[in-house]
Each structure stands twice: as structure tokens, then as C-alpha cells.
Amino acid sequence: NIALSKIGTFLGSSITNFDIDNVFSSLYDIYEIKLKNLDFVDGQNNSWYMRFIDGSGSVVSSSTYSSAGTNWRTDSDSWGYQNAQNDITYGNIGFAGGYSDDMEGQTDIRIFNPYDSNIYTQTYSEIVSWHSSGFAYIYRMANVEKTKQSIRGVRLYANANFANVEAEVWGYA
């Protein structure tokens, strides 16, 4: 049996970085972060990224992340683009709309074994957005942080400041 427990809701506004810190522990092996509201001050679509916060509270900004992803739109026969990167300094999670943008949606990020310093921390994220012109945009990405260390949280950042951001953190037991 799998039990899902809500760890907390985190809110931010008018910020450059959004830290969700001190949420991972030995209680759970799998966590889920649900981003429900993500807007930018410039009102544009912006790529945004995630880095881990290690056990001492430092952001892991070294070139130790690898990622692969793909995206597509429901109004197209194509898969859009596929992307793979190794030894990068960030984990690209996706994009989000701003105040004047026509896109709405939600992002789910699953994080596996972040607190266990004997295992690589891995993520799987999925973004599903709805565009007012009538199509859905889907983006899926897998990441790994290639050092074995205890991770206690995440930092979200972007190429523009966040106007609003809301995240729920859940643990799977």
C-alpha cells in the first residue's frame, strides 16, 4: 500500500529564486512537488530551472546534472523537439506563462531518494498546459544529479523574476 502525505504548501511572490527547503527527510523515498501557480513579472513565457539544495543548505550548482526530455503539442503530428544534456549546471524543468500569456497548466515533479546519500537523486517532471487557442502543450523530462549526497530541498529559478509561485510538496510512504 502506498500512502500519500502532504508535507506543506509554499508560496512566493516578487522573487528571483524560490526555495523549497528542509522538506526531504528519511521518512519518504519519493516526493512530489506540484506547482499550481507560476507567473513571471515580465508577463512572458519563460524557461525555468531547478537545482537541488544539499544537506548543508548549499545550492548544488556544479556540472553534475544530466537530463533528457521531449515535448509536443496536441495540434501537431510531430513530437516537437527532444533534448538531452550531460554535465550541465542546472536541470531544465520547462516553461510557464506570465500575466499576459494564454497558457495555463500544472507541473508535477517527482523526486526519488533525495535524502539517501548512497543513491543518485533522480527526478521525473511533467508539464501539461492548455493554450486558449485550443491545444495542449506537454513536456516531459528526466534528470539525475550525479553525486551521491543527501538533498534536503530544491531551488527554482528562471530567466525572469517570479511574480507568483505556489507549490505543494507530498511524500510517498
Side-chain angles (χ1 to χ4, degrees):
N1 293 335
I2 295 177
L4 185 63
S5 300
K6 187 173 182 179
I7 295 168
T9 299
F10 299 82
L11 303 170
S13 62
S14 301
I15 54 174
T16 303
N17 299 314
F18 182 60
D19 290 351
I20 303 170
D21 198 4
N22 291 310
V23 292
F24 304 144
S25 71
S26 60
L27 291 176
Y28 307 103
D29 292 329
I30 302 171
Y31 292 82
E32 186 161 349
I33 299 174
K34 294 179 176 288
L35 297 175
K36 295 185 160 196
N37 179 19
L38 186 58
D39 292 314
F40 293 95
V41 295
D42 66 0
Q44 302 296 313
N45 277 340
N46 289 286
S47 293
W48 53 280
Y49 311 94
M50 183 180 80
R51 290 183 176 163
F52 290 119
I53 300 172
D54 68 18
S56 66
S58 298
V59 176
V60 180
S61 59
S62 58
S63 299
T64 57
Y65 299 94
S66 288
S67 65
T70 188
N71 69 30
W72 63 95
R73 292 168 40 158
T74 58
D75 65 341
S76 173
D77 292 357
S78 70
W79 276 82
Y81 72 88
Q82 297 169 350
N83 181 33
Q85 296 179 305
N86 192 32
D87 298 328
I88 54 177
T89 58
Y90 60 86
N92 184 346
I93 303 300
F95 76 94
Y99 290 124
S100 63
D101 187 43
D102 284 341
M103 301 203 64
E104 296 179 11
Q106 178 172 314
T107 299
D108 292 326
I109 305 165
R110 285 179 202 90
I111 302 171
F112 301 90
N113 303 303
Y115 204 71
D116 190 337
S117 61
N118 297 308
I119 301 174
Y120 298 117
T121 299
Q122 301 175 23
T123 69
Y124 173 79
S125 60
E126 184 171 79
I127 298 167
V128 179
S129 296
W130 178 255
H131 196 279
S132 63
S133 64
F135 65 87
Y137 179 88
I138 298 106
Y139 185 67
R140 291 182 175 154
M141 171 142 281
N143 295 290
V144 63
E145 202 287 306
K146 301 182 297 182
T147 59
K148 294 178 181 178
Q149 61 178 317
S150 183
I151 302 296
R152 71 181 208 190
V154 299
R155 169 172 284 177
L156 302 180
Y157 67 101
N159 55 346
N161 287 346
F162 295 108
N164 296 295
V165 60
E166 177 183 355
E168 290 181 352
V169 179
W170 297 79
Y172 291 89

mmCIF file with all atom_site columns, all heavy atoms in Angstrom, residues 129-153:
data_model
loop_
_atom_site.group_PDB
_atom_site.id
_atom_site.type_symbol
_atom_site.label_atom_id
_atom_site.label_alt_id
_atom_site.label_comp_id
_atom_site.label_asym_id
_atom_site.label_entity_id
_atom_site.label_seq_id
_atom_site.pdbx_PDB_ins_code
_atom_site.Cartn_x
_atom_site.Cartn_y
_atom_site.Cartn_z
_atom_site.occupancy
_atom_site.B_iso_or_equiv
_atom_site.pdbx_formal_charge
_atom_site.auth_seq_id
_atom_site.auth_comp_id
_atom_site.auth_asym_id
_atom_site.auth_atom_id
_atom_site.pdbx_PDB_model_num
ATOM 1   N N   . SER A 1 129 ? 0.027  22.022 -20.200 1.00 0.00 ? 129 SER A N   1
ATOM 2   C CA  . SER A 1 129 ? -0.539 23.363 -20.259 1.00 0.00 ? 129 SER A CA  1
ATOM 3   C C   . SER A 1 129 ? -1.610 23.417 -21.338 1.00 0.00 ? 129 SER A C   1
ATOM 4   O O   . SER A 1 129 ? -1.531 22.731 -22.350 1.00 0.00 ? 129 SER A O   1
ATOM 5   C CB  . SER A 1 129 ? 0.544  24.397 -20.598 1.00 0.00 ? 129 SER A CB  1
ATOM 6   O OG  . SER A 1 129 ? 1.504  24.463 -19.589 1.00 0.00 ? 129 SER A OG  1
ATOM 7   N N   . TRP A 1 130 ? -2.575 24.246 -21.104 1.00 0.00 ? 130 TRP A N   1
ATOM 8   C CA  . TRP A 1 130 ? -3.661 24.451 -22.056 1.00 0.00 ? 130 TRP A CA  1
ATOM 9   C C   . TRP A 1 130 ? -3.546 25.851 -22.633 1.00 0.00 ? 130 TRP A C   1
ATOM 10  O O   . TRP A 1 130 ? -3.418 26.833 -21.906 1.00 0.00 ? 130 TRP A O   1
ATOM 11  C CB  . TRP A 1 130 ? -5.011 24.276 -21.385 1.00 0.00 ? 130 TRP A CB  1
ATOM 12  C CG  . TRP A 1 130 ? -6.154 24.532 -22.320 1.00 0.00 ? 130 TRP A CG  1
ATOM 13  C CD1 . TRP A 1 130 ? -6.963 25.626 -22.346 1.00 0.00 ? 130 TRP A CD1 1
ATOM 14  C CD2 . TRP A 1 130 ? -6.587 23.692 -23.382 1.00 0.00 ? 130 TRP A CD2 1
ATOM 15  N NE1 . TRP A 1 130 ? -7.871 25.518 -23.360 1.00 0.00 ? 130 TRP A NE1 1
ATOM 16  C CE2 . TRP A 1 130 ? -7.655 24.323 -24.020 1.00 0.00 ? 130 TRP A CE2 1
ATOM 17  C CE3 . TRP A 1 130 ? -6.155 22.453 -23.865 1.00 0.00 ? 130 TRP A CE3 1
ATOM 18  C CZ2 . TRP A 1 130 ? -8.325 23.763 -25.104 1.00 0.00 ? 130 TRP A CZ2 1
ATOM 19  C CZ3 . TRP A 1 130 ? -6.825 21.898 -24.948 1.00 0.00 ? 130 TRP A CZ3 1
ATOM 20  C CH2 . TRP A 1 130 ? -7.901 22.551 -25.553 1.00 0.00 ? 130 TRP A CH2 1
ATOM 21  N N   . HIS A 1 131 ? -3.565 25.959 -23.955 1.00 0.00 ? 131 HIS A N   1
ATOM 22  C CA  . HIS A 1 131 ? -3.486 27.242 -24.636 1.00 0.00 ? 131 HIS A CA  1
ATOM 23  C C   . HIS A 1 131 ? -4.886 27.650 -25.059 1.00 0.00 ? 131 HIS A C   1
ATOM 24  O O   . HIS A 1 131 ? -5.680 26.814 -25.501 1.00 0.00 ? 131 HIS A O   1
ATOM 25  C CB  . HIS A 1 131 ? -2.566 27.137 -25.855 1.00 0.00 ? 131 HIS A CB  1
ATOM 26  C CG  . HIS A 1 131 ? -2.143 28.453 -26.384 1.00 0.00 ? 131 HIS A CG  1
ATOM 27  N ND1 . HIS A 1 131 ? -2.943 29.207 -27.203 1.00 0.00 ? 131 HIS A ND1 1
ATOM 28  C CD2 . HIS A 1 131 ? -1.011 29.158 -26.205 1.00 0.00 ? 131 HIS A CD2 1
ATOM 29  C CE1 . HIS A 1 131 ? -2.318 30.317 -27.527 1.00 0.00 ? 131 HIS A CE1 1
ATOM 30  N NE2 . HIS A 1 131 ? -1.138 30.315 -26.926 1.00 0.00 ? 131 HIS A NE2 1
ATOM 31  N N   . SER A 1 132 ? -5.199 28.937 -24.945 1.00 0.00 ? 132 SER A N   1
ATOM 32  C CA  . SER A 1 132 ? -6.552 29.408 -25.237 1.00 0.00 ? 132 SER A CA  1
ATOM 33  C C   . SER A 1 132 ? -6.946 29.199 -26.700 1.00 0.00 ? 132 SER A C   1
ATOM 34  O O   . SER A 1 132 ? -8.122 29.212 -27.028 1.00 0.00 ? 132 SER A O   1
ATOM 35  C CB  . SER A 1 132 ? -6.695 30.889 -24.869 1.00 0.00 ? 132 SER A CB  1
ATOM 36  O OG  . SER A 1 132 ? -5.823 31.665 -25.660 1.00 0.00 ? 132 SER A OG  1
ATOM 37  N N   . SER A 1 133 ? -5.984 28.992 -27.596 1.00 0.00 ? 133 SER A N   1
ATOM 38  C CA  . SER A 1 133 ? -6.335 28.745 -28.992 1.00 0.00 ? 133 SER A CA  1
ATOM 39  C C   . SER A 1 133 ? -6.723 27.290 -29.248 1.00 0.00 ? 133 SER A C   1
ATOM 40  O O   . SER A 1 133 ? -7.024 26.922 -30.377 1.00 0.00 ? 133 SER A O   1
ATOM 41  C CB  . SER A 1 133 ? -5.191 29.162 -29.921 1.00 0.00 ? 133 SER A CB  1
ATOM 42  O OG  . SER A 1 133 ? -4.058 28.364 -29.679 1.00 0.00 ? 133 SER A OG  1
ATOM 43  N N   . GLY A 1 134 ? -6.713 26.452 -28.200 1.00 0.00 ? 134 GLY A N   1
ATOM 44  C CA  . GLY A 1 134 ? -7.288 25.131 -28.325 1.00 0.00 ? 134 GLY A CA  1
ATOM 45  C C   . GLY A 1 134 ? -6.335 23.962 -28.410 1.00 0.00 ? 134 GLY A C   1
ATOM 46  O O   . GLY A 1 134 ? -6.694 22.922 -28.956 1.00 0.00 ? 134 GLY A O   1
ATOM 47  N N   . PHE A 1 135 ? -5.150 24.063 -27.894 1.00 0.00 ? 135 PHE A N   1
ATOM 48  C CA  . PHE A 1 135 ? -4.260 22.906 -27.881 1.00 0.00 ? 135 PHE A CA  1
ATOM 49  C C   . PHE A 1 135 ? -3.599 22.770 -26.517 1.00 0.00 ? 135 PHE A C   1
ATOM 50  O O   . PHE A 1 135 ? -3.489 23.718 -25.759 1.00 0.00 ? 135 PHE A O   1
ATOM 51  C CB  . PHE A 1 135 ? -3.192 22.984 -28.979 1.00 0.00 ? 135 PHE A CB  1
ATOM 52  C CG  . PHE A 1 135 ? -2.204 24.104 -28.824 1.00 0.00 ? 135 PHE A CG  1
ATOM 53  C CD1 . PHE A 1 135 ? -1.063 23.940 -28.053 1.00 0.00 ? 135 PHE A CD1 1
ATOM 54  C CD2 . PHE A 1 135 ? -2.410 25.312 -29.457 1.00 0.00 ? 135 PHE A CD2 1
ATOM 55  C CE1 . PHE A 1 135 ? -0.142 24.964 -27.913 1.00 0.00 ? 135 PHE A CE1 1
ATOM 56  C CE2 . PHE A 1 135 ? -1.495 26.351 -29.319 1.00 0.00 ? 135 PHE A CE2 1
ATOM 57  C CZ  . PHE A 1 135 ? -0.362 26.171 -28.544 1.00 0.00 ? 135 PHE A CZ  1
ATOM 58  N N   . ALA A 1 136 ? -3.182 21.542 -26.238 1.00 0.00 ? 136 ALA A N   1
ATOM 59  C CA  . ALA A 1 136 ? -2.417 21.273 -25.018 1.00 0.00 ? 136 ALA A CA  1
ATOM 60  C C   . ALA A 1 136 ? -0.947 21.160 -25.394 1.00 0.00 ? 136 ALA A C   1
ATOM 61  O O   . ALA A 1 136 ? -0.597 20.715 -26.490 1.00 0.00 ? 136 ALA A O   1
ATOM 62  C CB  . ALA A 1 136 ? -2.884 19.987 -24.360 1.00 0.00 ? 136 ALA A CB  1
ATOM 63  N N   . TYR A 1 137 ? -0.092 21.584 -24.478 1.00 0.00 ? 137 TYR A N   1
ATOM 64  C CA  . TYR A 1 137 ? 1.356  21.504 -24.638 1.00 0.00 ? 137 TYR A CA  1
ATOM 65  C C   . TYR A 1 137 ? 1.862  20.589 -23.532 1.00 0.00 ? 137 TYR A C   1
ATOM 66  O O   . TYR A 1 137 ? 1.575  20.818 -22.358 1.00 0.00 ? 137 TYR A O   1
ATOM 67  C CB  . TYR A 1 137 ? 1.972  22.890 -24.514 1.00 0.00 ? 137 TYR A CB  1
ATOM 68  C CG  . TYR A 1 137 ? 3.469  22.921 -24.646 1.00 0.00 ? 137 TYR A CG  1
ATOM 69  C CD1 . TYR A 1 137 ? 4.075  23.039 -25.887 1.00 0.00 ? 137 TYR A CD1 1
ATOM 70  C CD2 . TYR A 1 137 ? 4.283  22.813 -23.533 1.00 0.00 ? 137 TYR A CD2 1
ATOM 71  C CE1 . TYR A 1 137 ? 5.451  23.068 -26.013 1.00 0.00 ? 137 TYR A CE1 1
ATOM 72  C CE2 . TYR A 1 137 ? 5.660  22.833 -23.636 1.00 0.00 ? 137 TYR A CE2 1
ATOM 73  C CZ  . TYR A 1 137 ? 6.238  22.959 -24.880 1.00 0.00 ? 137 TYR A CZ  1
ATOM 74  O OH  . TYR A 1 137 ? 7.598  22.980 -25.002 1.00 0.00 ? 137 TYR A OH  1
ATOM 75  N N   . ILE A 1 138 ? 2.587  19.549 -23.898 1.00 0.00 ? 138 ILE A N   1
ATOM 76  C CA  . ILE A 1 138 ? 3.067  18.566 -22.933 1.00 0.00 ? 138 ILE A CA  1
ATOM 77  C C   . ILE A 1 138 ? 4.591  18.521 -22.989 1.00 0.00 ? 138 ILE A C   1
ATOM 78  O O   . ILE A 1 138 ? 5.174  18.479 -24.076 1.00 0.00 ? 138 ILE A O   1
ATOM 79  C CB  . ILE A 1 138 ? 2.489  17.170 -23.218 1.00 0.00 ? 138 ILE A CB  1
ATOM 80  C CG1 . ILE A 1 138 ? 0.967  17.185 -23.100 1.00 0.00 ? 138 ILE A CG1 1
ATOM 81  C CG2 . ILE A 1 138 ? 3.056  16.135 -22.254 1.00 0.00 ? 138 ILE A CG2 1
ATOM 82  C CD1 . ILE A 1 138 ? 0.260  17.129 -24.399 1.00 0.00 ? 138 ILE A CD1 1
ATOM 83  N N   . TYR A 1 139 ? 5.209  18.551 -21.820 1.00 0.00 ? 139 TYR A N   1
ATOM 84  C CA  . TYR A 1 139 ? 6.672  18.494 -21.733 1.00 0.00 ? 139 TYR A CA  1
ATOM 85  C C   . TYR A 1 139 ? 7.038  17.497 -20.644 1.00 0.00 ? 139 TYR A C   1
ATOM 86  O O   . TYR A 1 139 ? 6.557  17.611 -19.520 1.00 0.00 ? 139 TYR A O   1
ATOM 87  C CB  . TYR A 1 139 ? 7.226  19.882 -21.399 1.00 0.00 ? 139 TYR A CB  1
ATOM 88  C CG  . TYR A 1 139 ? 8.726  19.973 -21.399 1.00 0.00 ? 139 TYR A CG  1
ATOM 89  C CD1 . TYR A 1 139 ? 9.450  19.828 -22.574 1.00 0.00 ? 139 TYR A CD1 1
ATOM 90  C CD2 . TYR A 1 139 ? 9.425  20.215 -20.227 1.00 0.00 ? 139 TYR A CD2 1
ATOM 91  C CE1 . TYR A 1 139 ? 10.827 19.926 -22.577 1.00 0.00 ? 139 TYR A CE1 1
ATOM 92  C CE2 . TYR A 1 139 ? 10.805 20.314 -20.218 1.00 0.00 ? 139 TYR A CE2 1
ATOM 93  C CZ  . TYR A 1 139 ? 11.502 20.168 -21.403 1.00 0.00 ? 139 TYR A CZ  1
ATOM 94  O OH  . TYR A 1 139 ? 12.867 20.251 -21.413 1.00 0.00 ? 139 TYR A OH  1
ATOM 95  N N   . ARG A 1 140 ? 7.864  16.514 -20.984 1.00 0.00 ? 140 ARG A N   1
ATOM 96  C CA  . ARG A 1 140 ? 8.307  15.513 -20.008 1.00 0.00 ? 140 ARG A CA  1
ATOM 97  C C   . ARG A 1 140 ? 9.825  15.517 -19.955 1.00 0.00 ? 140 ARG A C   1
ATOM 98  O O   . ARG A 1 140 ? 10.478 15.601 -20.990 1.00 0.00 ? 140 ARG A O   1
ATOM 99  C CB  . ARG A 1 140 ? 7.814  14.128 -20.403 1.00 0.00 ? 140 ARG A CB  1
ATOM 100 C CG  . ARG A 1 140 ? 6.324  13.999 -20.267 1.00 0.00 ? 140 ARG A CG  1
ATOM 101 C CD  . ARG A 1 140 ? 5.867  12.613 -20.607 1.00 0.00 ? 140 ARG A CD  1
ATOM 102 N NE  . ARG A 1 140 ? 4.432  12.517 -20.345 1.00 0.00 ? 140 ARG A NE  1
ATOM 103 C CZ  . ARG A 1 140 ? 3.639  11.673 -20.949 1.00 0.00 ? 140 ARG A CZ  1
ATOM 104 N NH1 . ARG A 1 140 ? 4.128  10.833 -21.838 1.00 0.00 ? 140 ARG A NH1 1
ATOM 105 N NH2 . ARG A 1 140 ? 2.364  11.648 -20.660 1.00 0.00 ? 140 ARG A NH2 1
ATOM 106 N N   . MET A 1 141 ? 10.356 15.407 -18.740 1.00 0.00 ? 141 MET A N   1
ATOM 107 C CA  . MET A 1 141 ? 11.807 15.458 -18.572 1.00 0.00 ? 141 MET A CA  1
ATOM 108 C C   . MET A 1 141 ? 12.233 14.544 -17.441 1.00 0.00 ? 141 MET A C   1
ATOM 109 O O   . MET A 1 141 ? 11.540 14.427 -16.427 1.00 0.00 ? 141 MET A O   1
ATOM 110 C CB  . MET A 1 141 ? 12.237 16.891 -18.267 1.00 0.00 ? 141 MET A CB  1
ATOM 111 C CG  . MET A 1 141 ? 13.672 17.023 -17.859 1.00 0.00 ? 141 MET A CG  1
ATOM 112 S SD  . MET A 1 141 ? 14.468 18.484 -18.502 1.00 0.00 ? 141 MET A SD  1
ATOM 113 C CE  . MET A 1 141 ? 14.816 18.020 -20.175 1.00 0.00 ? 141 MET A CE  1
ATOM 114 N N   . ALA A 1 142 ? 13.394 13.912 -17.618 1.00 0.00 ? 142 ALA A N   1
ATOM 115 C CA  . ALA A 1 142 ? 14.022 13.112 -16.561 1.00 0.00 ? 142 ALA A CA  1
ATOM 116 C C   . ALA A 1 142 ? 15.393 13.707 -16.282 1.00 0.00 ? 142 ALA A C   1
ATOM 117 O O   . ALA A 1 142 ? 16.093 14.133 -17.210 1.00 0.00 ? 142 ALA A O   1
ATOM 118 C CB  . ALA A 1 142 ? 14.151 11.660 -16.999 1.00 0.00 ? 142 ALA A CB  1
ATOM 119 N N   . ASN A 1 143 ? 15.752 13.780 -15.017 1.00 0.00 ? 143 ASN A N   1
ATOM 120 C CA  . ASN A 1 143 ? 17.035 14.348 -14.599 1.00 0.00 ? 143 ASN A CA  1
ATOM 121 C C   . ASN A 1 143 ? 17.691 13.441 -13.569 1.00 0.00 ? 143 ASN A C   1
ATOM 122 O O   . ASN A 1 143 ? 17.004 12.721 -12.843 1.00 0.00 ? 143 ASN A O   1
ATOM 123 C CB  . ASN A 1 143 ? 16.835 15.718 -13.929 1.00 0.00 ? 143 ASN A CB  1
ATOM 124 C CG  . ASN A 1 143 ? 16.302 16.758 -14.860 1.00 0.00 ? 143 ASN A CG  1
ATOM 125 O OD1 . ASN A 1 143 ? 16.985 17.197 -15.754 1.00 0.00 ? 143 ASN A OD1 1
ATOM 126 N ND2 . ASN A 1 143 ? 15.059 17.154 -14.652 1.00 0.00 ? 143 ASN A ND2 1
ATOM 127 N N   . VAL A 1 144 ? 19.004 13.545 -13.476 1.00 0.00 ? 144 VAL A N   1
ATOM 128 C CA  . VAL A 1 144 ? 19.737 12.882 -12.407 1.00 0.00 ? 144 VAL A CA  1
ATOM 129 C C   . VAL A 1 144 ? 20.822 13.831 -11.920 1.00 0.00 ? 144 VAL A C   1
ATOM 130 O O   . VAL A 1 144 ? 21.419 14.562 -12.710 1.00 0.00 ? 144 VAL A O   1
ATOM 131 C CB  . VAL A 1 144 ? 20.341 11.520 -12.863 1.00 0.00 ? 144 VAL A CB  1
ATOM 132 C CG1 . VAL A 1 144 ? 21.364 11.706 -13.964 1.00 0.00 ? 144 VAL A CG1 1
ATOM 133 C CG2 . VAL A 1 144 ? 20.941 10.775 -11.676 1.00 0.00 ? 144 VAL A CG2 1
ATOM 134 N N   . GLU A 1 145 ? 21.018 13.859 -10.613 1.00 0.00 ? 145 GLU A N   1
ATOM 135 C CA  . GLU A 1 145 ? 22.137 14.603 -10.022 1.00 0.00 ? 145 GLU A CA  1
ATOM 136 C C   . GLU A 1 145 ? 23.184 13.553 -9.706  1.00 0.00 ? 145 GLU A C   1
ATOM 137 O O   . GLU A 1 145 ? 22.941 12.638 -8.931  1.00 0.00 ? 145 GLU A O   1
ATOM 138 C CB  . GLU A 1 145 ? 21.680 15.345 -8.775  1.00 0.00 ? 145 GLU A CB  1
ATOM 139 C CG  . GLU A 1 145 ? 22.555 16.525 -8.387  1.00 0.00 ? 145 GLU A CG  1
ATOM 140 C CD  . GLU A 1 145 ? 23.891 16.099 -7.803  1.00 0.00 ? 145 GLU A CD  1
ATOM 141 O OE1 . GLU A 1 145 ? 23.900 15.312 -6.847  1.00 0.00 ? 145 GLU A OE1 1
ATOM 142 O OE2 . GLU A 1 145 ? 24.930 16.560 -8.307  1.00 0.00 ? 145 GLU A OE2 1
ATOM 143 N N   . LYS A 1 146 ? 24.359 13.664 -10.346 1.00 0.00 ? 146 LYS A N   1
ATOM 144 C CA  . LYS A 1 146 ? 25.312 12.557 -10.404 1.00 0.00 ? 146 LYS A CA  1
ATOM 145 C C   . LYS A 1 146 ? 26.334 12.535 -9.272  1.00 0.00 ? 146 LYS A C   1
ATOM 146 O O   . LYS A 1 146 ? 27.429 12.011 -9.452  1.00 0.00 ? 146 LYS A O   1
ATOM 147 C CB  . LYS A 1 146 ? 26.023 12.570 -11.756 1.00 0.00 ? 146 LYS A CB  1
ATOM 148 C CG  . LYS A 1 146 ? 25.059 12.439 -12.918 1.00 0.00 ? 146 LYS A CG  1
ATOM 149 C CD  . LYS A 1 146 ? 25.759 12.402 -14.249 1.00 0.00 ? 146 LYS A CD  1
ATOM 150 C CE  . LYS A 1 146 ? 26.482 13.687 -14.494 1.00 0.00 ? 146 LYS A CE  1
ATOM 151 N NZ  . LYS A 1 146 ? 27.139 13.731 -15.798 1.00 0.00 ? 146 LYS A NZ  1
ATOM 152 N N   . THR A 1 147 ? 25.990 13.065 -8.136  1.00 0.00 ? 147 THR A N   1
ATOM 153 C CA  . THR A 1 147 ? 26.812 12.855 -6.948  1.00 0.00 ? 147 THR A CA  1
ATOM 154 C C   . THR A 1 147 ? 25.916 12.225 -5.890  1.00 0.00 ? 147 THR A C   1
ATOM 155 O O   . THR A 1 147 ? 24.741 12.538 -5.807  1.00 0.00 ? 147 THR A O   1
ATOM 156 C CB  . THR A 1 147 ? 27.420 14.165 -6.412  1.00 0.00 ? 147 THR A CB  1
ATOM 157 O OG1 . THR A 1 147 ? 26.359 15.066 -6.090  1.00 0.00 ? 147 THR A OG1 1
ATOM 158 C CG2 . THR A 1 147 ? 28.336 14.820 -7.428  1.00 0.00 ? 147 THR A CG2 1
ATOM 159 N N   . LYS A 1 148 ? 26.479 11.349 -5.136  1.00 0.00 ? 148 LYS A N   1
ATOM 160 C CA  . LYS A 1 148 ? 25.708 10.696 -4.077  1.00 0.00 ? 148 LYS A CA  1
ATOM 161 C C   . LYS A 1 148 ? 25.824 11.548 -2.827  1.00 0.00 ? 148 LYS A C   1
ATOM 162 O O   . LYS A 1 148 ? 26.855 11.564 -2.172  1.00 0.00 ? 148 LYS A O   1
ATOM 163 C CB  . LYS A 1 148 ? 26.224 9.285  -3.845  1.00 0.00 ? 148 LYS A CB  1
ATOM 164 C CG  . LYS A 1 148 ? 26.007 8.366  -5.026  1.00 0.00 ? 148 LYS A CG  1
ATOM 165 C CD  . LYS A 1 148 ? 26.570 6.988  -4.765  1.00 0.00 ? 148 LYS A CD  1
ATOM 166 C CE  . LYS A 1 148 ? 26.365 6.095  -5.962  1.00 0.00 ? 148 LYS A CE  1
ATOM 167 N NZ  . LYS A 1 148 ? 26.947 4.767  -5.748  1.00 0.00 ? 148 LYS A NZ  1
ATOM 168 N N   . GLN A 1 149 ? 24.758 12.279 -2.542  1.00 0.00 ? 149 GLN A N   1
ATOM 169 C CA  . GLN A 1 149 ? 24.739 13.152 -1.372  1.00 0.00 ? 149 GLN A CA  1
ATOM 170 C C   . GLN A 1 149 ? 23.303 13.318 -0.902  1.00 0.00 ? 149 GLN A C   1
ATOM 171 O O   . GLN A 1 149 ? 22.363 13.076 -1.644  1.00 0.00 ? 149 GLN A O   1
ATOM 172 C CB  . GLN A 1 149 ? 25.352 14.514 -1.704  1.00 0.00 ? 149 GLN A CB  1
ATOM 173 C CG  . GLN A 1 149 ? 24.624 15.292 -2.786  1.00 0.00 ? 149 GLN A CG  1
ATOM 174 C CD  . GLN A 1 149 ? 25.257 16.636 -3.030  1.00 0.00 ? 149 GLN A CD  1
ATOM 175 O OE1 . GLN A 1 149 ? 25.614 17.339 -2.106  1.00 0.00 ? 149 GLN A OE1 1
ATOM 176 N NE2 . GLN A 1 149 ? 25.405 16.990 -4.303  1.00 0.00 ? 149 GLN A NE2 1
ATOM 177 N N   . SER A 1 150 ? 23.154 13.746 0.330   1.00 0.00 ? 150 SER A N   1
ATOM 178 C CA  . SER A 1 150 ? 21.843 13.983 0.896   1.00 0.00 ? 150 SER A CA  1
ATOM 179 C C   . SER A 1 150 ? 21.318 15.330 0.399   1.00 0.00 ? 150 SER A C   1
ATOM 180 O O   . SER A 1 150 ? 22.007 16.340 0.477   1.00 0.00 ? 150 SER A O   1
ATOM 181 C CB  . SER A 1 150 ? 21.932 13.973 2.426   1.00 0.00 ? 150 SER A CB  1
ATOM 182 O OG  . SER A 1 150 ? 20.661 14.128 2.982   1.00 0.00 ? 150 SER A OG  1
ATOM 183 N N   . ILE A 1 151 ? 20.090 15.321 -0.118  1.00 0.00 ? 151 ILE A N   1
ATOM 184 C CA  . ILE A 1 151 ? 19.440 16.519 -0.642  1.00 0.00 ? 151 ILE A CA  1
ATOM 185 C C   . ILE A 1 151 ? 18.283 16.854 0.292   1.00 0.00 ? 151 ILE A C   1
ATOM 186 O O   . ILE A 1 151 ? 17.483 15.986 0.631   1.00 0.00 ? 151 ILE A O   1
ATOM 187 C CB  . ILE A 1 151 ? 18.916 16.271 -2.076  1.00 0.00 ? 151 ILE A CB  1
ATOM 188 C CG1 . ILE A 1 151 ? 20.050 15.840 -3.018  1.00 0.00 ? 151 ILE A CG1 1
ATOM 189 C CG2 . ILE A 1 151 ? 18.166 17.484 -2.600  1.00 0.00 ? 151 ILE A CG2 1
ATOM 190 C CD1 . ILE A 1 151 ? 21.118 16.863 -3.243  1.00 0.00 ? 151 ILE A CD1 1
ATOM 191 N N   . ARG A 1 152 ? 18.191 18.115 0.693   1.00 0.00 ? 152 ARG A N   1
ATOM 192 C CA  . ARG A 1 152 ? 17.116 18.484 1.618   1.00 0.00 ? 152 ARG A CA  1
ATOM 193 C C   . ARG A 1 152 ? 16.044 19.380 1.002   1.00 0.00 ? 152 ARG A C   1
ATOM 194 O O   . ARG A 1 152 ? 15.002 19.622 1.610   1.00 0.00 ? 152 ARG A O   1
ATOM 195 C CB  . ARG A 1 152 ? 17.694 19.154 2.859   1.00 0.00 ? 152 ARG A CB  1
ATOM 196 C CG  . ARG A 1 152 ? 18.233 20.549 2.625   1.00 0.00 ? 152 ARG A CG  1
ATOM 197 C CD  . ARG A 1 152 ? 18.800 21.127 3.894   1.00 0.00 ? 152 ARG A CD  1
ATOM 198 N NE  . ARG A 1 152 ? 18.712 22.567 3.906   1.00 0.00 ? 152 ARG A NE  1
ATOM 199 C CZ  . ARG A 1 152 ? 19.292 23.335 4.803   1.00 0.00 ? 152 ARG A CZ  1
ATOM 200 N NH1 . ARG A 1 152 ? 20.004 22.784 5.784   1.00 0.00 ? 152 ARG A NH1 1
ATOM 201 N NH2 . ARG A 1 152 ? 19.146 24.632 4.756   1.00 0.00 ? 152 ARG A NH2 1
ATOM 202 N N   . GLY A 1 153 ? 16.280 19.904 -0.225  1.00 0.00 ? 153 GLY A N   1
ATOM 203 C CA  . GLY A 1 153 ? 15.295 20.776 -0.849  1.00 0.00 ? 153 GLY A CA  1
ATOM 204 C C   . GLY A 1 153 ? 15.657 21.102 -2.281  1.00 0.00 ? 153 GLY A C   1
ATOM 205 O O   . GLY A 1 153 ? 16.610 20.555 -2.839  1.00 0.00 ? 153 GLY A O   1
#
